[in-house]
């Protein structure tokens, strides 16, 4: 039997890790703690081979040698009448789901209680006997349950309930003695006669219980360990601390202690920093050793008994922040405790959401009414007054800004469109009803670092909305909580936010370490503003993979100029409007390329259908009419004329209608203007000796002839289509500027383009896979409408997950076909994926395996994508 009993103490433990499987979860923790050469309480473990089979064993004979070792370590004697050693028994299963009672204070007998009371006082001493009895009765209760003795079980349950009330009540020693006398009748007659007899009785009853328990299946061990008390004399205390701050990650102990108290589990006393300097110094050393060994923050309980520090246990933490994890790992890495690979693999990519976006202080929402549910469009937390239209929100923002009022606003709409981008940009968050993760509101929110929640049961009517039976009116303050994991919440009131700080959080340093592990695969950002581009560089982006130029036109100072261009009836009128837009776009491109300073910038020429830019409500209509009246060279227009224009432009299926390159075929002057704006900016930057790497992307190409026409132009039957290459050449000659290397490419977002990739690659020097549209056109699902029926498809396992998050297998196949065929035509073809698919670890793995060179995603997804790439790179190595 002795071979199945394993002693542990400071630096004395089982070296054979295979034997640890017989010790249960708590036994493994004890052995791990013992390996650190720290002041842990000694003990011994009856392993799982014998724990449930002790009935016929001579226990006292076999365990005495191990008890003696514990006596030597603690300086107390088991059964001593003046300073007795007491022990606890811990049942250590291998299954975390199995829960057993706490069993303490064995060694308290008629002979030893007096000596114990001399140290802790009568009230506490007899209280501990009650606790001892409760533990034993809980074992008997479990045995009755397993043997289906219902009457015994009920009687014991009542006794345990009563004794618990006594334990939790403030009663004196004399009354406790009477209660003990009554309860002793339930215990074996010789239970208090001798300490070894008592210990053997308890161990054998626990063993019998384990033999009956099917959940155990010879899988639990028994730990016997001395007890120490934080109220055992004047120089005693108990407490708990974390090896560093679990929120900020600051390298200092955080925790608490109680002077002259048995334990501090149910109370938080004084700050651990205020404990005596000698004790504090020892605890700091303990923290560093534990953290270095386990390579993470740990929680440690300790007791100081008569001036001697004992560590009770150490546990991993579920409640620590991602910031604290990162700062801990970086510290360990700098001190060469862990490798770079370990550091990178220790954080899950999705965890980074926590330090990229605001989070709610949980203490601030107590008492605030809330509802839960919905689809997380963009994670984080946002507070603001609710507005139900873009114009009302923009107006409220302007007024608040002018008067120095609160500018935090939340846009709430059934769905959003291109003209609502400007509202999302200034709002703190957006609450919508249609779509899901890939809905317009969600995509734009992620791009601008805003919060997005899609709640399909929200009903918006006029200046109010109803959700979950609650009514929200314009101007009401709500709080959106959209965690990456778990259910989103809407709080009908104002919470408190904890704002992210990429530098203080350790994120930027973490990103620099991640990037040093990357090889040939990179991450770019989707951005159309210089400030986003600059932040993206800090986040580790290696260029811009998608600049959506249509977003630039929705600025309040530009939208009406663009609208004038759309309703122009002649080429000359259209050219006048485009000339004004060119100067605006030129400045945008100048700032964007300057911010990226020599990294690739992919400019996607106008993609959105023209009708999206026209007025969508009375307010917008009137603003446009007023604008036209104030323009000297513009004709007056009426709302009727504009409506007629809108009717003429309206399409049954605009997603597959007159958009993208098809607009350029009909109105080449639009792309010509954009090309000139790009290169005027580039020539200026070149003259300032700023490096540039432009890529011109033409969207929605379906065959090689479209791309060839737009790039190289064509003459046919007296018609001349100039072509973008000639536009750049003419501009260069006109400005006498030096040539700048650049590339033309296209977005592969139609199945036909993927299949025709070999032909398209004759003229495209790079492919960018627009997987949002490629998914829609391949599987025939609208990203804005599918959520209304997707639960039914999920219920019957018709579709594997959300195809706008996880790439569909047939979409993947089209990407692979396009990569293979395109590369055969053009071996040096650059290939990337742009869109939020590019921030999902599973998709990134596919992109790397498929032979792509990069992914491009929204600003706040860049670090997440980078970490995923680094982890995949490590796996490959």
């Amino acid at each position: 039997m002795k071979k199945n009993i394993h002693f542990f103490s400071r630096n004395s433990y089982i070296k054979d890790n295979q034997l640890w499987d017989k010790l249960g979860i708590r036994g493994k923790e004890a052995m791990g703690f013992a390996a650190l050469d720290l002041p842990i309480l000694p003990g011994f473990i009856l392993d799982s081979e014998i724990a449930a089979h002790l009935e016929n064993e001579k226990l006292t004979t076999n365990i005495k040698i191990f008890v003696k070792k514990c006596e030597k370590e603690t300086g107390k004697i088991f059964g001593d009448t003046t300073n007795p050693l007491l022990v606890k028994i811990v049942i250590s299963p291998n299954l975390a789901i199995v829960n057993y009672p706490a069993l303490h204070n064995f060694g308290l007998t008629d002979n030893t209680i007096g000596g114990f009371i001399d140290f802790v006082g009568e009230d506490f001493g007899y209280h501990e006997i009650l606790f001892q009895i409760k533990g034993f009765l809980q074992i008997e209760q479990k045995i009755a349950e397993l043997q289906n003795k219902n009457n015994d079980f009920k009687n014991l349950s009542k006794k345990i309930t009563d004794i618990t009330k006594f334990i939790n009540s403030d009663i004196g020693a004399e009354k406790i003695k009477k209660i003990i006398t009554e309860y002793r009748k339930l215990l074996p007659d010789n239970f208090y006669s001798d300490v070894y007899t008592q210990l053997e009785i308890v161990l054998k009853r626990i063993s019998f219980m384990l033999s009956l328990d099917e959940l155990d299946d010879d899988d639990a061990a028994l730990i016997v360990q001395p007890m120490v008390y934080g109220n055992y004399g004047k120089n005693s205390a108990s407490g708990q601390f974390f090896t560093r701050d679990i929120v900020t990650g600051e390298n200092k102990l955080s925790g608490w202690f109680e002077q002259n108290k048995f334990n501090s589990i149910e109370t938080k006393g004084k700050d651990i920093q205020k404990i005596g300097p000698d004790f504090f110094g020892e605890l700091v050393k303990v923290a560093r050793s534990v953290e270095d060994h386990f390579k993470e923050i740990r929680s440690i309980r300790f007791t100081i008994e008569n001036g001697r520090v004992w560590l009770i246990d150490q546990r991993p933490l579920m409640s620590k922040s991602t910031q604290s994890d990162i700062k801990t790992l970086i510290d360990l890495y700098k001190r060469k405790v862990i490798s770079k690979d370990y550091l990178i693999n220790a954080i899950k990519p999705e965890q980074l959401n926590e330090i990229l976006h605001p989070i709610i202080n949980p203490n601030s929402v107590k008492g605030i009414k809330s509802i839960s549910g919905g689809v997380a469009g963009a994670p984080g937390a946002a507070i603001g007054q609710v507005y139900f239209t873009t114009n009302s929100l923009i107006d409220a923002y302007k007024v608040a800004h002018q008067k120095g009022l609160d500018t935090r606003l939340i846009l709430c709409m059934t769905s959003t469109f291109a003209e609502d981008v400007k509202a999302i940009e200034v709002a703190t968050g957006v609450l919508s009803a249609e779509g899901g993760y890939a809905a317009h509101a969600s995509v734009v929110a992620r791009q601008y670092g805003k919060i997005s929640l899609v709640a399909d049961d929200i009903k918006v009517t006029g200046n109010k909305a109803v959700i979950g039976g609650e009514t929200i009116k314009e101007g009401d303050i709500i709080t959106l909580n959209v965690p990456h994991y778990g259910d989103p919440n809407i709080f009908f009131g104002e919470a408190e936010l904890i704002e992210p700080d990429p530098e203080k959080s350790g994120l930027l340093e973490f990103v620099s370490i991640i990037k040093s592990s990357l090889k040939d695969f990179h991450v770019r950002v989707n951005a159309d503003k210089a400030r986003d581009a600059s932040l993206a560089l800090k986040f580790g982006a290696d260029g811009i993979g998608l600049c959506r130029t249509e977003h630039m036109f929705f600025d309040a100072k530009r939208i009406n100029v663009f609208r004038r261009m759309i309703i122009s009836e002649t080429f000359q009128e259209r050219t006048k409007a485009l000339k004004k837009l060119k100067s605006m776009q030129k400045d945008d491109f100048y700032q964007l390329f300057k911010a990226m300073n020599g990294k690739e910038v992919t400019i996607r020429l106008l993609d959105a259908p023209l009708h999206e830019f026209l007025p969508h409500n009375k307010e917008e209509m009137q603003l446009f009419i007023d604008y036209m009246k104030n323009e000297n060279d513009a004709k007056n227009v009426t709302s009727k004329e504009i409506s007629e224009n809108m009717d003429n432009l309206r399409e049954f299926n605009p997603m597959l209608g007159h958009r993208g390159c098809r607009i350029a075929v009909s109105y080449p002057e639009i792309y010509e203007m954009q090309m000139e704006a790009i290169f005027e900016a580039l020539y200026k930057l070149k003259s300032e000796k700023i490096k540039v790497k432009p890529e011109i992307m033409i969207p929605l190409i379906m065959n090689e002839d479209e791309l060839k026409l737009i790039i190289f132009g064509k003459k046919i039957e007296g018609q001349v289509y100039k072509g973008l290459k000639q536009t750049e050449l003419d501009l260069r000659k006109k400005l006498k500027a030096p040539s700048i290397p650049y590339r033309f490419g296209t977005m592969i977002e139609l199945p036909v383009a993927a299949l025709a990739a070999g032909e398209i690659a004759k003229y495209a020097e790079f492919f960018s896979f627009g997987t949002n549209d490629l998914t829609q056109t391949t599987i025939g699902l609208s990203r804005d409408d599918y959520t209304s029926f997707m639960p039914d498809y999920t219920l019957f396992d018709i579709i594997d997950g959300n195809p706008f998050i996880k790439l569909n297998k047939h979409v993947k196949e089209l990407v692979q076909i396009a990569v293979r065929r395109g590369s055969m035509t053009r071996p040096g073809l650059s290939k990337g994926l742009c869109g939020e698919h590019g921030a999902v670890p599973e998709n990134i793995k596919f992109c790397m395996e498929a032979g792509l060179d990069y992914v491009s995603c929204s600003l706040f997804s860049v670090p997440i994508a980078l970490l995923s790439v680094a982890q995949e790179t490590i796996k490959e190595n």
Side-chain angles (χ1 to χ4, degrees):
M1 178 184 176
K2 285 182 180 177
K3 70 181 178 63
N4 297 109
I5 305 177
H6 313 282
F7 181 74
F8 62 89
S9 68
R10 183 170 191 158
N11 212 22
S12 175
Y13 61 98
I14 299 173
K15 304 295 192 294
D16 184 357
N17 284 3
Q18 289 186 341
L19 290 176
W20 287 25
D21 290 336
K22 300 178 183 179
L23 308 181
I25 294 171
R26 296 289 296 276
K28 291 173 188 175
E29 288 176 356
M31 284 296 169
F33 215 8
L36 303 184
D37 190 22
L38 294 172
I40 69 159
L41 280 167
F44 55 92
I45 303 174
L46 289 75
D47 69 31
S48 59
E49 284 188 2
I50 61 165
H53 310 286
L54 300 178
E55 188 176 356
N56 298 316
E57 297 287 349
K58 295 180 179 179
L59 270 184
T60 299
T61 304
N62 284 295
I63 65 175
K64 254 187 180 179
I65 185 173
F66 298 101
V67 174
K68 295 294 182 189
K69 288 183 178 183
C70 292
E71 292 174 343
K72 185 178 179 182
E73 293 275 341
T74 60
K76 294 182 183 180
I77 304 299
F78 193 52
D80 185 47
T81 57
T82 57
N83 186 15
L85 174 70
L86 306 184
V87 299
K88 63 181 177 181
I89 301 171
V90 178
I91 303 171
S92 176
N94 263 323
L95 292 173
I97 60 169
V98 181
N99 189 28
Y100 293 109
L103 306 163
H104 291 169
N105 307 318
F106 299 107
L108 274 179
T109 64
D110 292 335
N111 295 325
T112 61
I113 183 65
F116 183 65
I117 284 172
D118 288 342
F119 283 91
V120 299
E122 268 199 337
D123 288 356
F124 182 83
Y126 287 113
H127 174 280
E128 291 304 280
I129 290 183
L130 276 183
F131 202 84
Q132 177 201 66
I133 293 170
K134 177 186 174 182
F136 186 80
L137 292 182
Q138 284 177 310
I139 296 300
E140 295 299 325
Q141 178 196 36
K142 185 70 177 176
I143 290 171
E145 179 187 8
L146 294 169
Q147 291 182 322
N148 294 318
K149 295 180 178 179
N150 293 332
N151 288 335
D152 289 351
F153 178 80
K154 288 177 182 177
N155 290 334
L156 285 165
S157 296
K158 185 178 185 309
K159 296 290 185 185
I160 291 167
T161 300
D162 291 343
I163 203 169
T164 301
K165 289 178 183 176
F166 294 134
I167 289 171
N168 294 332
S169 63
D170 188 17
I171 54 176
E174 292 305 315
K175 191 166 184 179
I176 296 176
K177 285 181 192 177
K178 292 178 182 178
I179 296 167
I180 290 171
T181 301
E182 186 66 28
Y183 276 91
R184 280 181 66 156
K185 296 173 185 177
L186 301 173
L187 309 181
D189 293 339
N190 56 349
F191 193 82
Y192 286 102
S193 63
D194 173 74
V195 290
Y196 278 104
T197 300
Q198 185 184 83
L199 185 57
E200 183 159 345
I201 288 171
V202 176
L203 285 172
K204 285 189 173 181
R205 292 306 285 170
I206 295 171
S207 178
F208 180 58
M209 177 196 74
L210 292 176
S211 71
L212 297 173
D213 195 345
E214 292 180 2
L215 278 176
D216 170 58
D217 194 28
D218 285 353
D219 215 21
L222 297 176
I223 305 171
V224 179
Q225 198 171 16
M227 293 190 68
V228 287
Y229 297 83
N231 58 343
Y232 210 74
K234 290 183 180 179
N235 203 9
S236 299
S238 61
Q240 181 176 354
F241 66 92
F242 308 115
T243 53
R244 68 175 65 210
D245 192 295
I246 62 171
V247 175
T248 67
E250 185 181 354
N251 191 5
K252 71 172 189 178
L253 300 193
S254 66
W256 55 91
F257 74 99
E258 287 278 7
Q259 200 79 38
N260 292 317
K261 280 204 171 181
F262 168 47
N263 67 52
S264 62
I265 291 176
E266 295 180 358
T267 179
K268 290 189 179 182
K270 298 177 183 176
D271 188 330
I272 195 70
Q273 299 283 327
K274 295 178 181 178
I275 203 167
D278 291 340
F279 296 136
F280 185 75
E282 188 170 359
L283 295 180
V284 168
K285 290 178 183 176
V286 166
R288 297 291 74 79
S289 295
V290 169
E291 205 170 79
D292 287 1
H293 179 79
F294 292 103
K295 303 177 180 62
E296 65 177 5
I297 301 174
R298 289 270 166 151
S299 168
I300 299 172
R301 286 198 302 130
F302 69 94
T303 294
I304 300 170
E305 185 181 86
N306 276 329
R308 188 172 179 183
V309 175
W310 292 102
L311 305 183
I312 306 303
D313 60 29
Q314 56 77 28
R315 301 272 179 90
L317 282 163
M318 296 298 291
S319 58
K320 59 187 186 299
S321 70
T322 298
Q323 174 173 322
S324 67
D325 272 339
I326 288 175
K327 296 197 85 168
T328 302
L329 290 163
I330 289 174
D331 179 43
L332 293 170
Y333 172 67
K334 286 179 175 177
R335 293 190 289 109
K336 301 186 185 323
V337 176
I338 60 173
S339 67
K340 186 195 297 184
D341 286 2
Y342 186 97
L343 165 63
I344 291 169
N345 281 321
I347 298 291
K348 294 177 181 177
E350 297 86 356
Q351 280 182 262
L352 297 183
N353 275 301
E354 185 184 310
I355 54 175
L356 286 162
H357 302 284
I359 58 172
I360 283 180
N361 182 341
N363 294 325
S364 70
V365 294
K366 292 175 180 176
I368 300 179
K369 191 180 290 185
S370 68
I371 59 169
S372 62
V375 177
I383 298 169
Q385 297 178 71
V386 181
Y387 287 88
F388 299 98
T389 67
T390 285
N391 285 342
S392 63
L393 186 141
I394 294 293
D395 289 343
Y397 181 82
K398 287 176 181 176
V399 170
H401 199 269
Q402 289 167 358
K403 295 184 177 181
L405 303 175
D406 191 349
T407 56
R408 297 174 303 169
L409 309 171
I410 288 176
L411 180 65
C412 179
M413 299 180 71
T414 303
S415 57
T416 65
F417 300 94
E419 67 270 14
D420 301 311
V421 169
K422 58 181 180 284
I424 297 173
E425 185 179 1
V426 300
T428 57
V430 55
L431 176 61
S432 58
E434 294 180 356
Y437 183 81
H440 179 270
S442 303
V443 172
V444 175
R446 289 194 295 272
Q447 180 186 352
Y448 287 108
K450 309 297 181 174
I451 311 310
S452 170
L453 173 60
V454 182
D456 61 6
D457 60 335
I458 191 166
K459 305 298 180 192
V460 180
T461 52
N463 288 338
K464 67 179 182 180
V466 177
I467 181 169
E470 296 292 327
T471 299
I472 309 168
K473 297 176 182 176
E474 184 171 278
D476 286 353
I477 293 179
I478 65 170
T479 300
L480 302 181
N481 181 39
V482 188
H484 191 80
Y485 295 107
D487 290 332
N489 307 95
I490 301 173
F491 293 93
F492 300 99
E494 183 174 352
E496 179 187 324
L497 298 188
I498 301 171
E499 295 291 339
D501 187 325
E503 195 159 346
K504 287 184 180 178
S505 69
L507 176 65
L508 300 187
E509 190 173 0
F510 185 50
V511 164
S512 69
I513 295 169
I514 291 170
K515 287 202 69 177
S516 66
S517 290
L518 302 187
K519 290 184 177 179
D520 302 321
F521 196 89
H522 303 285
V523 176
R524 297 190 194 179
V525 67
N526 300 340
D528 45 67
K529 291 188 180 295
R531 70 168 185 268
D532 292 342
S534 297
L535 184 54
L537 288 176
K538 290 184 179 180
F539 283 170
D542 279 307
I544 292 176
L546 175 61
C547 169
R548 299 178 175 96
T549 56
E550 55 269 16
H551 285 184
M552 297 172 170
F553 296 126
F554 283 105
D555 183 271
K557 295 177 182 177
R558 303 178 185 187
I559 185 63
N560 286 323
V561 182
F562 197 81
R563 286 168 177 164
R564 178 183 173 183
M565 185 274 295
I566 295 172
I567 67 166
S568 296
E569 295 177 353
T570 66
F571 174 79
Q572 288 75 19
E573 286 179 14
R574 197 156 41 248
T575 304
K576 282 180 184 178
L578 287 170
K579 189 175 180 181
K580 286 187 177 182
L581 289 169
K582 185 174 80 168
S583 64
M584 299 171 180
Q585 285 232 293
K586 174 186 171 182
D587 185 59
D588 290 336
F589 295 137
Y590 174 85
Q591 298 296 339
L592 206 58
F593 280 103
K594 186 176 182 179
M596 296 312 288
N597 194 23
K599 293 187 182 293
E600 287 95 341
V601 176
T602 305
I603 306 291
R604 184 179 73 184
L605 302 181
L606 184 67
D607 183 34
L610 294 179
H611 79 90
E612 285 194 9
F613 297 90
L614 291 174
H616 282 73
N617 53 54
K618 290 180 180 179
E619 293 90 346
E620 287 186 2
M621 182 75 79
Q622 190 57 53
L623 285 171
F624 181 48
I625 291 171
D626 292 343
Y627 165 81
M628 293 294 284
K629 285 179 181 177
N630 293 326
E631 287 292 292
N632 295 327
D633 57 347
K635 69 169 188 174
N636 289 336
V637 292
T638 64
S639 59
K640 182 181 178 183
E641 290 173 313
I642 297 170
S643 297
E644 287 173 357
N645 266 287
M646 291 174 66
D647 289 338
N648 291 335
L649 289 170
R650 190 169 284 116
E651 298 173 293
F652 290 108
N653 190 353
M655 182 200 154
L656 298 177
H658 201 198
R659 57 169 278 219
C661 66
R662 298 162 190 177
I663 291 173
V665 173
S666 301
Y667 305 108
E669 56 270 25
I670 296 177
Y671 276 17
E672 185 176 336
M673 175 277 288
Q674 291 193 291
M675 193 73 173
E676 288 181 354
I678 292 167
F679 279 89
E680 284 183 18
L682 293 173
Y683 297 148
K684 184 179 178 184
L685 288 164
K686 187 80 170 177
S687 69
E688 296 170 3
K689 301 192 182 323
I690 295 172
K691 295 178 181 177
V692 291
K693 284 188 180 177
E695 296 181 336
I696 313 301
M697 182 158 69
I698 299 160
L700 212 70
I701 290 293
M702 65 179 177
N703 62 39
E704 61 180 305
D705 293 328
E706 272 181 322
L707 191 59
K708 182 181 178 183
L709 171 71
I710 292 168
I711 295 174
F712 295 103
K714 194 171 188 177
K715 292 181 182 179
I716 186 167
E717 297 179 2
Q719 294 277 347
V720 177
Y721 189 103
K722 189 173 181 180
L724 297 180
K725 209 162 186 65
Q726 188 63 44
T727 297
E728 187 276 328
L729 184 60
D730 291 348
L731 182 66
R732 194 192 326 156
K733 287 179 180 178
K734 177 184 172 183
L735 300 178
K736 297 180 181 178
S739 65
I740 293 173
Y742 68 96
R743 298 194 294 186
F744 280 113
T746 188
M747 184 172 274
I748 304 293
E749 50 195 322
L750 299 172
V752 67
L755 297 172
E759 291 82 21
I760 291 172
K762 294 175 188 176
Y763 308 105
E765 296 166 277
F766 67 88
F767 284 170
S768 179
F769 290 93
T771 47
N772 267 342
D773 278 358
L774 187 59
T775 297
Q776 292 189 97
T777 52
T778 299
I779 62 178
L781 281 179
S782 164
R783 71 182 186 186
D784 295 314
D785 301 311
Y786 85 101
T787 49
S788 63
F789 57 85
M790 189 49 60
D792 303 326
Y793 273 59
T794 304
L795 176 66
F796 295 108
D797 297 324
I798 296 172
I799 195 164
D800 183 18
N802 184 336
F804 296 101
I805 297 176
K806 178 184 174 183
L807 280 170
N808 175 272
K809 64 180 181 179
H810 300 298
V811 175
K812 287 181 180 179
E813 186 178 0
L814 284 171
V815 171
Q816 290 169 322
I817 289 169
V819 168
R820 185 170 64 251
R821 293 180 181 179
S823 298
M824 287 177 67
T825 299
R826 188 182 293 272
L829 183 73
S830 174
K831 306 164 292 292
L833 180 149
C834 68
E836 289 313 290
H837 280 116
V840 179
E842 183 180 342
N843 298 335
I844 287 173
K845 180 181 180 182
F846 161 75
C847 291
M848 295 174 75
E849 291 172 347
L852 271 61
D853 304 302
Y854 67 88
V855 291
S856 185
C857 52
S858 62
L859 171 60
F860 291 93
S861 295
V862 168
I864 297 168
L866 274 171
L867 182 55
S868 300
V869 173
Q871 290 178 351
E872 284 303 320
T873 302
I874 288 169
K875 285 179 188 175
E876 286 180 6
N877 293 340

